[in-house]
Amino acid sequence: MSKADKLTINQAELVNEWMTVLPTTLQPTDQARVWADEADPQALRVHIMAAGHTGYTIDFKVTYVDDREVKVELTDVQQGTTHIDETSGIVQTLVDDYIRHIHECAQALQRVTHA
């Protein structure tokens, strides 16, 4: 990330912005939690609880490549308390959908990240 493209917003404020905007990009019945990645000041952690009876929870690491673009990495998928294979068709569809919503959130937040 070049100096000109570096985030100017502090991580705590960024987490608050994500907590406000991310739910608006998800289905109304999905729930999400966002917190700072303590090991990386350019990254956030996102935990999404899928709506319905599936019991899926999906975790992502969201890293700002620059002040406008994020890289999203899947870190864990669970069903209830069991870690599951994230390569199954149903889970992969959910993961792809949530990655798209995370990118939508990042785009909406360019008003604060790209100052």
Side-chain angles (χ1 to χ4, degrees):
M1 182 181 320
S2 75
K3 196 172 190 175
D5 293 336
K6 205 162 176 72
L7 284 176
T8 56
I9 186 172
N10 74 51
Q11 200 176 30
E13 188 177 339
L14 188 60
V15 166
N16 287 335
E17 292 287 343
W18 272 81
M19 284 297 294
T20 301
V21 176
L22 184 59
T24 68
T25 69
L26 299 173
Q27 296 296 325
T29 52
D30 289 336
Q31 296 179 355
R33 211 168 48 93
V34 180
W35 65 94
D37 184 320
E38 294 178 9
D40 183 351
Q42 300 298 318
L44 306 170
R45 297 293 178 150
V46 175
H47 176 81
I48 298 175
M49 293 144 284
H53 300 290
T54 62
Y56 289 125
T57 58
I58 305 171
D59 296 317
F60 300 94
K61 179 179 181 180
V62 179
T63 306
Y64 272 86
V65 177
D66 60 30
D67 61 355
R68 291 189 245 193
E69 182 182 349
V70 294
K71 177 175 88 171
V72 181
E73 299 171 75
L74 175 67
T75 58
D76 189 34
V77 179
Q78 287 185 238
Q79 186 171 26
T81 57
T82 306
H83 295 274
I84 62 170
D85 176 21
E86 64 269 3
T87 60
S88 76
I90 293 170
V91 173
Q92 197 57 58
T93 299
L94 265 177
V95 167
D96 291 345
D97 192 46
Y98 287 133
I99 288 173
R100 188 172 50 258
H101 291 303
I102 289 168
H103 281 286
E104 288 172 14
C105 182
Q107 282 185 326
L109 288 174
Q110 283 184 14
R111 61 181 167 68
V112 295
T113 61
H114 185 66

